Amino acid sequence: MSVLSIIACEMLEDELVYVLSKDQNAVRLILVENRQCFRFVRKLKSGNCQARIFPPERISFFIKQMNRPASMKIPNFLLKFPFFGKIHENMKEKNRETITVVVNILKLGLHADCDLLKSEIYRNMKEMVEFSDGILIFYGNCGRPLRELEAEFKDFNCPLYFLEDEKGNIVDDCISIALGGNDNYAEVMQSGNGTGMIYLTPMWASSWKEMRMEPGDTSDFNVSFLKRHYRKVVKISNEISMGSEFDKNVLNYARTFDMSIIEMKGSMEIAMKSYMNARNGICKKDPIQKSS
């Protein structure tokens, strides 16, 4: 059974819930236990996805137990009977068709320090490579060149996948993901004709007060700075932005900073295609045999 690990930004948890809930194939979902995972679990349940939560140090053992050959789970002397033989074959077939997805959500506050964020992503990659056949980095660039991770990780024999636009470029940030790619993002910014615009996804709209409390550069959430330089809030609407809570959060933000609201249609295409590319990539190759 193949294992796809996903290291994800907490800001992109809605997109990740969406792609996991839309996966029509068999998935065993495991979450790395941390403070960020519990809200994610609630959102998964609302999308009819079930997950098991394990401390990071227990995940490798659990996956090895799941990947034990079916013949080890049914005593050999029973396999000569047709009934148990059929169960055995069904178990093997199910294992071939099912993948395990391990999700590790990293906290929002890491954005305050790009070097710290990169080192945390890399540290978690090294911990997860033991049981992974591929790792999807569910992040935009956010000011740091993620492609460098491929060179630094090349000796681990575990392919990396990224959130990429149709040109194969890693998207700039979570807003680029929501708008459908770097080119679309650039077009939207140019359409403002120099007017300062703030872009809100559901997670940004619900989390900006929390982000405001994080240490580091707070200019993005400074009232006087925003009122001086920005005039509009761009409300990005897509498949995950339905509901009154998003409307209320955007309105609250706009009133706080004296901005007008414009609505723009977004897309889940990049998140969906990038996830399926990683999923299909690990399924096309033979699973890497992990050491015991």
Side-chain angles (χ1 to χ4, degrees), residues 30-253:
I30 297 173
L31 303 186
V32 176
E33 185 177 22
N34 55 31
R35 184 188 63 81
Q36 298 77 244
C37 78
F38 298 105
R39 179 176 59 189
F40 187 64
V41 168
R42 292 194 296 271
K43 291 184 177 182
L44 283 171
K45 289 181 178 177
S46 69
N48 295 318
C49 293
Q50 299 297 320
R52 301 185 69 173
I53 304 174
F54 290 94
E57 64 274 10
R58 294 287 297 166
I59 291 177
S60 180
F61 173 78
F62 179 72
I63 289 175
K64 286 174 182 176
Q65 290 298 108
M66 287 197 305
N67 285 345
R68 289 171 58 204
S71 57
M72 292 178 63
K73 299 177 183 179
I74 299 178
N76 288 333
F77 74 91
L78 291 177
L79 294 178
K80 63 182 179 181
F81 296 101
F83 175 76
F84 291 105
K86 187 174 182 179
I87 292 177
H88 173 233
E89 291 303 316
N90 287 341
M91 290 170 68
K92 289 198 299 183
E93 186 62 28
K94 185 177 181 181
N95 265 358
R96 282 193 292 267
E97 295 175 352
T98 302
I99 75 162
T100 297
V101 175
V102 181
V103 176
N104 189 359
I105 306 287
L106 303 188
K107 65 180 181 179
L108 285 175
L110 292 173
H111 283 83
D113 185 333
C114 287
D115 290 335
L116 175 61
L117 178 54
K118 181 180 175 182
S119 67
E120 279 297 293
I121 291 174
Y122 189 70
R123 181 183 66 80
N124 282 279
M125 286 164 55
K126 290 196 293 184
E127 290 180 356
M128 300 175 82
V129 70
E130 177 188 356
F131 52 76
S132 303
D133 297 303
I135 299 176
L136 171 60
I137 309 299
F138 214 76
Y139 270 86
N141 266 318
C142 299
R144 66 199 179 284
L146 283 181
R147 288 290 182 197
E148 290 181 358
L149 291 172
E150 288 185 305
E152 296 171 7
F153 208 64
K154 67 181 188 313
D155 294 331
F156 286 92
N157 194 29
C158 181
L160 300 183
Y161 301 90
F162 300 93
L163 294 174
E164 297 176 338
D165 62 17
E166 59 184 11
K167 294 181 179 179
N169 297 318
I170 299 177
V171 290
D172 289 337
D173 54 30
C174 56
I175 303 303
S176 181
I177 296 165
L179 290 174
N182 296 338
D183 289 346
N184 290 348
Y185 194 6
E187 282 183 24
V188 172
M189 287 191 289
Q190 291 170 4
S191 70
N193 295 319
T195 300
M197 297 190 294
I198 293 291
Y199 303 85
L200 293 183
T201 62
M203 270 299 290
W204 265 114
S206 64
S207 303
W208 67 270
K209 290 182 180 179
E210 176 186 346
M211 290 289 287
R212 197 177 183 181
M213 302 302 293
E214 292 290 343
D217 182 9
T218 58
S219 61
D220 286 346
F221 307 102
N222 181 278
V223 175
S224 61
F225 177 85
L226 288 171
K227 286 184 176 181
R228 188 165 61 250
H229 295 283
Y230 293 88
R231 296 289 179 268
K232 295 180 180 180
V233 172
V234 180
K235 177 185 176 187
I236 304 174
S237 300
N238 54 29
E239 295 89 336
I240 62 173
S241 62
M242 307 303 177
S244 60
E245 184 179 357
F246 185 38
D247 298 337
K248 181 178 68 176
N249 289 337
V250 172
L251 182 61
N252 178 260
Y253 186 96

Side-chain angles (χ1 to χ4, degrees), residues 257 282 288:
F257 300 107
I282 68 165
I288 298 171

